[in-house]
Amino acid sequence: MKKTSPFIITFTAICVALNYVGANIALFLKLPVYLDTFGTILASLVLGPIFGVGTAVASALISAFTTDISAIYFSPVAILLALLVSVFFTSDSPRLNLLWKTFLVSLPATALASLITVIVFKGITPSGSSIIVQGLHGLGLDLVTSTIIVQALTDYADRLIVIGVSLVFIPQLK
């Protein structure tokens, strides 16, 4: 696929829109997944990590100014995802299956997201996963443990969905 300037600009704009739409669907339906990195991952896979990072930042800014201020706080997570996806899902990346690659991408981003959730938001964000965090906390787990458990499970599920769908969609671009 030839990557011309009009293609790059259009594709990046579509990726930003995908992030925004996915994030808002998850936010308004209070889903326990986030769906806010479809575009970031697609941009990283198709155009490279710089465009993935640009998509992540643009999406976070638009979301922060329109529907979800917390998006700006989690932009470092999306930036890290853009870089990790570019490392683990390139043609010269190690021959691991989707589940393991997604785990390797998800783990550092989950650690960062957990820190942000606990330190900045005290475990409560606008996402649907906060309901699960509060449930575990109500059952007696401390807030940090509740946040890490839920963040790890929901992040992995979210990334598996987003990466899997992205990998299916990419061959259709050719």
Side-chain angles (χ1 to χ4, degrees):
M1 154 184 11
K2 189 174 180 185
K3 297 174 187 164
T4 62
S5 291
F7 173 80
I8 291 170
I9 293 167
T10 304
F11 191 76
T12 303
I14 290 168
C15 288
V16 170
L18 281 171
N19 281 352
Y20 184 77
V21 169
N24 282 297
I25 288 170
L27 181 68
F28 293 126
L29 294 178
K30 294 293 183 200
L31 299 177
V33 291
Y34 314 104
L35 307 178
D36 60 349
T37 56
F38 270 111
T40 299
I41 288 169
L42 271 173
S44 290
L45 292 172
V46 174
L47 301 175
I50 299 300
F51 290 95
V53 168
T55 298
V57 171
S59 301
L61 288 170
I62 292 168
S63 288
F65 283 113
T66 58
T67 57
D68 182 14
I69 188 67
S70 68
I72 200 73
Y73 294 98
F74 288 100
S75 61
V77 176
I79 291 167
L80 181 58
L81 277 175
L83 298 172
L84 291 169
V85 163
S86 293
V87 169
F88 287 103
F89 286 91
T90 59
S91 59
D92 10 331
S93 65
R95 295 273 182 215
L96 299 170
N97 68 23
L98 176 66
L99 297 175
W100 279 108
K101 285 183 181 181
T102 301
F103 177 76
L104 293 172
V105 165
S106 193
L107 190 61
T110 295
L112 181 57
S114 295
L115 281 172
I116 293 167
T117 301
V118 169
I119 293 169
V120 177
F121 297 101
K122 308 295 185 230
I124 302 171
T125 64
S127 74
S129 63
S130 287
I131 297 166
I132 303 168
V133 169
Q134 293 308 306
L136 289 176
H137 186 59
L139 291 173
L141 287 176
D142 68 88
L143 188 59
V144 173
T145 304
S146 300
T147 301
I148 292 170
I149 289 170
V150 171
Q151 197 79 47
L153 294 173
T154 58
D155 280 1
Y156 185 74
D158 177 73
R159 307 243 163 84
L160 194 56
I161 292 165
V162 171
I163 291 169
V165 170
S166 297
L167 291 173
V168 167
F169 183 70
I170 288 173
Q172 307 308 315
L173 295 173
K174 294 182 180 183

